Amino acid sequence: MLKLLLALTALAVPQTAPTPADALPEDWKAIPDNEMLVMTLQGGHQVFIRLAPRYAPAHVANIRKLAEARWWDGTSVYRVQDNYVTQWGGGDDKTALPPGVIENPPAEYEWPGFDAVKSVTFAKPDSYAARTGLSADGWPLANFGAVTSLTHCYSMVGVARDLAPSTGSGAELYTVIGHAPRALDRNIAIVGRVVEGMQWLSSLPRGTAQLGVYAKDQTPTPILSVRLASQLPEDERPHFQVRSTDNVRFAAWVKARENRDGAFFTVPMGGVDVCNALPAVRRAQ
């Protein structure tokens, strides 16, 4: 009788989908100061970019040198292509790169193996890769058999380049502002993800020249400064945490994303794209 009463009670309690708030304190991992890039735009608007040195070490090393040399100060956001990317840097400016910056680092587009956590699996296959997953610290991964790459999801940051063999120095960067252009995966080095301030890049006027570059009658958005958080005084450093994915709580959250419920969702889809299952990033408490 007691078991029956407990079962009936459980049925009577509304079941809610897991949310980021369901994470335990230990699920939140600090992002190191030297992996956080702070870009300040005209008007004081700030964009915070988490870097991915494990997956693109040479390009991230370049980016750190560029920030330390204050190379981006006085450059601009000069390309905004609707449903595609926002791009910034020197544009056509031929300003010399700082000492130690490699103009064409190795093509860090893919690497051997697949280091996604095993507890997070997606119910449906991916359109572009053999399988997808997430690293323990929240990077979206696409596997192509023997090799893996980061994926071009909304807010991911990549390195603009010319035609091969150019790989891009990192002086020109872009972020995805539209539907994930996954055809770019394995063709460009992805070096990070915008974790706060995305609105300042996605809501800019669209460029009217070819490929969304600003025409001569348009005004690019000035970049006042770009710094690593580690370059800033201690009391001015932003501190962020990313939700770890290697636990049952996050796995449950992904399954809830695959099967959305509640009054609004009348037809659960039974699957979710990796770009729609990125872990939350928050300011440190």
Side-chain angles (χ1 to χ4, degrees), residues 141-227:
L141 307 173
N143 177 252
F144 303 88
V147 297
T148 296
S149 76
L150 289 173
T151 61
H152 274 81
C153 300
Y154 180 83
S155 79
M156 294 294 281
V157 174
V159 176
R161 66 169 177 84
D162 293 325
L163 297 178
S166 170
T167 60
S169 66
E172 306 295 319
L173 298 173
Y174 65 87
T175 188
V176 177
I177 62 169
H179 184 77
R182 294 283 306 283
L184 294 176
D185 295 356
R186 303 175 72 192
N187 286 282
I188 292 181
I190 299 177
V191 292
R193 174 189 172 194
V194 176
V195 297
E196 187 177 294
M198 190 65 189
Q199 69 271 29
W200 307 122
L201 297 176
S202 62
S203 62
L204 292 171
R206 276 36 180 167
T208 57
Q210 188 176 17
L211 300 177
V213 174
Y214 278 10
K216 291 182 178 180
D217 62 343
Q218 292 185 288
T219 303
T221 299
I223 296 174
L224 302 184
S225 69
V226 178
R227 301 283 185 276

Side-chain angles (χ1 to χ4, degrees), residues 217-240:
D217 62 343
Q218 292 185 288
T219 303
T221 299
I223 296 174
L224 302 184
S225 69
V226 178
R227 301 283 185 276
L228 290 165
S230 55
Q231 289 179 264
L232 302 175
E234 281 281 354
D235 60 349
E236 295 180 17
R237 295 181 185 181
H239 297 290
F240 288 90

Side-chain angles (χ1 to χ4, degrees), residues 80-85 177-178 206-207 212:
V80 185
Q81 187 170 357
D82 191 49
N83 196 33
Y84 198 43
V85 300
I177 62 169
R206 276 36 180 167

Side-chain angles (χ1 to χ4, degrees), residues 6-279:
L6 290 173
L8 291 174
T9 301
L11 290 173
V13 176
Q15 301 299 304
T16 57
T19 71
D22 295 324
L24 296 179
E26 58 265 31
D27 293 340
W28 295 97
K29 307 301 181 184
I31 298 174
D33 290 346
N34 68 350
E35 292 183 14
M36 185 60 62
L37 204 61
V38 182
M39 179 164 64
T40 304
L41 305 175
Q42 180 176 265
H45 305 309
Q46 291 191 309
V47 179
F48 301 89
I49 300 167
R50 179 192 181 197
L51 298 175
R54 185 166 77 255
Y55 296 118
H59 283 90
V60 169
N62 273 359
I63 289 169
R64 285 170 170 159
K65 289 183 175 71
L66 288 159
E68 289 165 353
R70 305 188 176 190
W71 190 90
W72 281 293
D73 296 13
T75 61
S76 67
V77 179
Y78 62 86
R79 177 190 179 195
V80 185
Q81 187 170 357
D82 191 49
N83 196 33
Y84 198 43
V85 300
T86 292
Q87 187 167 318
W88 63 91
D92 292 331
D93 187 5
K94 300 303 181 182
T95 304
L97 297 173
V101 172
I102 303 171
E103 188 167 353
N104 285 294
E108 298 174 313
Y109 307 158
E110 60 187 26
W111 58 90
F114 185 48
D115 55 333
V117 297
K118 291 183 171 59
S119 59
V120 177
T121 58
F122 295 107
K124 291 187 176 181
D126 185 74
S127 296
Y128 290 89
R131 52 184 174 165
T132 56
L134 295 161
S135 68
D137 55 349
W139 294 107
L141 307 173
N143 177 252
F144 303 88
V147 297
T148 296
S149 76
L150 289 173
T151 61
H152 274 81
C153 300
Y154 180 83
S155 79
M156 294 294 281
V157 174
V159 176
R161 66 169 177 84
D162 293 325
L163 297 178
S166 170
T167 60
S169 66
E172 306 295 319
L173 298 173
Y174 65 87
T175 188
V176 177
I177 62 169
H179 184 77
R182 294 283 306 283
L184 294 176
D185 295 356
R186 303 175 72 192
N187 286 282
I188 292 181
I190 299 177
V191 292
R193 174 189 172 194
V194 176
V195 297
E196 187 177 294
M198 190 65 189
Q199 69 271 29
W200 307 122
L201 297 176
S202 62
S203 62
L204 292 171
R206 276 36 180 167
T208 57
Q210 188 176 17
L211 300 177
V213 174
Y214 278 10
K216 291 182 178 180
D217 62 343
Q218 292 185 288
T219 303
T221 299
I223 296 174
L224 302 184
S225 69
V226 178
R227 301 283 185 276
L228 290 165
S230 55
Q231 289 179 264
L232 302 175
E234 281 281 354
D235 60 349
E236 295 180 17
R237 295 181 185 181
H239 297 290
F240 288 90
Q241 297 172 324
V242 61
R243 183 178 179 182
S244 60
T245 66
D246 55 350
N247 56 78
V248 295
R249 292 167 296 282
F250 189 83
W253 179 80
V254 169
K255 292 308 174 188
R257 296 285 289 178
E258 291 182 325
N259 299 281
R260 305 292 286 273
D261 60 9
F264 184 84
F265 291 93
T266 57
V267 183
M269 296 306 296
V272 66
D273 184 275
V274 64
C275 290
N276 289 321
L278 299 186

